[in-house]
DNA sequence: TTGAAAAAATGACCTTTATCATATTTCAAA
DNA sequence: TTTGAAATATGATAAAGGTCATTTTTTCAA
């Protein structure tokens, strides 16, 4: 349970920041961000931004988890990414100066800071390390999305589920995976019913263990084998 | 038919460059690139780079067309993007300093120049307009790929074919679409046979006209309607 | 111009996965 | 603790689309 009254998070001691894109900031810059940023406590299922709205800055996740998704024609969500502590969210559309094509929503209660577009762009102009970090990050994500597309196009739902669980293993680290069946289905790109049936298979094959909604992976190797490399 | 003996293309008069990311270069910079770049004539189906190799620079398409694709587990290609005159190819992995996760191959005979990593990174350091153009481009492509993923996950093959043809309409402009059935299938993300059957449907519905492998769109509106906005 | 190879097209069949209906479990508020 | 709503689970069915076999057309080099 997060401290709901915690109104200010200090950048210099922020655990998330150290390994984040903002890890390269010098003291002065950190102080500046710290003074100008806004901190917010978000409840579960609260929206950071919606598709179609215009970016006014970037979000830094101090603590918590955020899903990035698109709504398809029939309103079904496709989850593109799940961001966690230390990640920054919402800067992609900001650079392209176009409305968000994805939406972002917390998956659990979270502490998230906000840095205005102006402040952030200024920092980028004056800090080559930050700038290069961003370019690197954008490139890395482009590669990931190419993989995502190829998987979607060529792999079965079972294979994609295995692949997705490997990604989630990385995100949840030691914790069991804690997503609704619907969100999981929307990440894999399948119907909720199909996903549930496949989870049952995995359970019967001893690959996972399920406690209500929480999923623990028992056999990572088998997941890799199913995901295909 | 391109001039095969044409060994040097001059940047300052390059038609492609004007609207490209390199449009912002000043005279000195253009001269520098011009002196340091390498020009090459590529035959149809020639490789620019392979998955797994390390980027040593960027490719500028002076004339021609290049497919960017990944090979899935069974060797089936998934086309991620088709680049044409004025586009730059291969800089994504260069920034992330990782091996290429996609491959690039000409779809037709092409004139393509090569700028070394060193030269290109130097230009980026000294040219904020170029730098910001790149960041904008990377962001734009990230959005496109999110759409691609959602389409792949939620749309039928028929809808995806319509969507893909709209993209190809943009790429081929006034020219008829000139791709093998296999490449088209690999862009849509389906089996070649399924694609051929759907093309037949489109033909019977008066949406397209086919002359051997070349496809002309007769009814763009209908394509939009099928693609779903 | 022709003949062989590649590409495109068609047919039959079967698997995967979505959809719809319904039952069961879980959870949180009263 | 109860209760109703939401989430999860299961079953039956249908449709979309993949696969394999075969035929027809196109292409290109000799």
């Amino acid at each position: 349970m997060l401290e709901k009254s915690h109104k200010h998070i200090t950048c210099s001691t922020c655990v998330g920041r150290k390994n984040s894109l903002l890890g390269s900031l010098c003291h002065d810059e950190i102080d500046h961000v710290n003074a100008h940023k806004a901190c917010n406590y978000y409840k579960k299922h609260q929206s950071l931004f919606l598709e179609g709205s215009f970016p006014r800055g970037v979000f830094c996740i101090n603590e918590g988890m955020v899903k990035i998704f698109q709504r398809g024609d029939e309103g079904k969500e496709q989850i593109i990414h799940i961001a966690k502590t230390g990640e920054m969210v919402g800067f992609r559309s900001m650079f392209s100066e176009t409305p968000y094509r994805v939406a972002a929503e917390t998956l659990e209660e979270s502490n998230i800071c906000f840095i205005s577009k102006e402040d952030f762009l200024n920092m980028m102009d004056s800090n080559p390390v930050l700038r290069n970090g961003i370019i690197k990050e954008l490139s890395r994500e482009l590669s990931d999305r190419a993989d995502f597309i190829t998987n979607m196009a060529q792999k079965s739902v079972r294979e994609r589920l295995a692949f997705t669980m490997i990604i989630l293993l990385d995100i949840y680290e030691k914790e069991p995976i804690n997503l609704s069946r619907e969100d999981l289905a929307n990440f894999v790109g399948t119907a909720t019913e199909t996903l549930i049936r496949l989870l049952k298979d995995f359970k019967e094959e001893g690959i996972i263990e399920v406690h209500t909604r929480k999923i623990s992976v028992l056999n990572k190797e088998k997941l890799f084998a199913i995901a295909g490399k």
Side-chain angles (χ1 to χ4, degrees), chain A:
Chain A
M1 210 58 165
L2 297 182
E3 182 65 64
K4 292 177 197 182
S5 58
H6 193 176
K7 275 290 168 236
H8 194 82
I9 292 149
T10 309
C11 293
S12 55
T13 58
C14 172
V15 212
R17 190 184 57 80
K18 305 237 159 59
N19 306 311
S20 86
L21 286 169
L22 298 182
S24 70
L25 264 48
C26 70
H27 273 298
D28 280 3
E29 289 167 326
I30 294 178
D31 288 347
H32 180 83
V33 172
N34 198 45
H36 286 76
K37 77 177 198 303
C39 301
N40 278 301
Y41 166 83
Y42 287 78
K43 287 181 296 196
K44 206 175 180 176
H45 300 143
Q46 219 180 326
S47 165
L48 303 197
F49 53 81
L50 297 170
E51 288 158 288
S53 65
F54 272 90
R56 296 183 304 108
V58 299
F59 298 86
C60 296
I61 306 177
N62 166 71
E63 174 101 57
M65 226 170 253
V66 172
K67 68 173 169 182
I68 312 295
F69 62 97
Q70 269 189 334
R71 244 177 283 266
D73 291 339
E74 271 92 61
K76 185 178 166 68
E77 294 179 4
Q78 176 60 42
I79 297 183
I80 305 291
H81 180 69
I82 293 178
K84 62 168 183 173
T85 301
E87 276 189 73
M88 299 187 43
V89 163
F91 56 85
R92 294 144 197 89
S93 289
M94 196 180 76
F95 295 134
S96 65
E97 290 172 310
T98 54
Y100 287 120
R101 289 245 281 283
V102 294
E105 192 182 296
T106 52
L107 285 170
E108 51 183 48
E109 50 174 6
S110 308
N111 283 321
I112 299 174
C113 300
F114 180 83
I115 304 172
S116 78
K117 182 172 171 174
E118 196 196 340
D119 279 340
F120 194 76
L121 293 181
N122 283 340
M123 278 198 293
M124 277 187 62
D125 272 341
S126 61
N127 187 333
V129 178
L130 172 60
R131 201 158 68 211
N132 290 332
I134 298 261
I135 292 176
K136 208 163 169 171
E137 174 65 16
L138 292 172
S139 303
R140 214 187 44 69
E141 287 183 24
L142 270 173
S143 290
D144 284 348
R145 291 196 187 174
D147 288 350
F148 204 154
I149 290 166
T150 304
N151 277 344
M152 217 48 127
Q154 302 192 356
K155 286 190 197 282
S156 68
V157 178
R158 179 179 159 90
E159 290 168 322
R160 264 153 41 210
L161 173 58
F163 188 86
T164 303
M165 302 237 312
I166 291 169
I167 293 172
L168 290 172
L169 222 42
D170 241 32
I171 295 174
Y172 283 89
E173 295 174 36
K174 304 293 159 201
E175 300 286 303
I177 296 165
N178 186 12
L179 271 181
S180 73
R181 299 291 183 263
E182 193 177 353
D183 277 337
L184 192 46
N186 290 344
F187 203 2
V188 173
T190 189
T192 307
E193 295 94 323
T194 302
L195 176 107
I196 287 169
R197 281 179 245 268
L198 286 170
L199 279 184
K200 195 182 171 190
D201 292 349
F202 278 14
K203 205 161 46 184
E204 283 167 5
E205 294 169 49
I207 301 171
I208 60 170
E209 196 177 55
V210 176
H211 289 106
T212 62
R213 77 172 347 216
K214 293 185 182 175
I215 302 169
S216 308
V217 174
L218 302 177
N219 192 336
K220 204 171 166 177
E221 284 64 43
K222 232 169 175 175
L223 275 189
F224 274 99
I226 294 168
K229 191 170 59 72

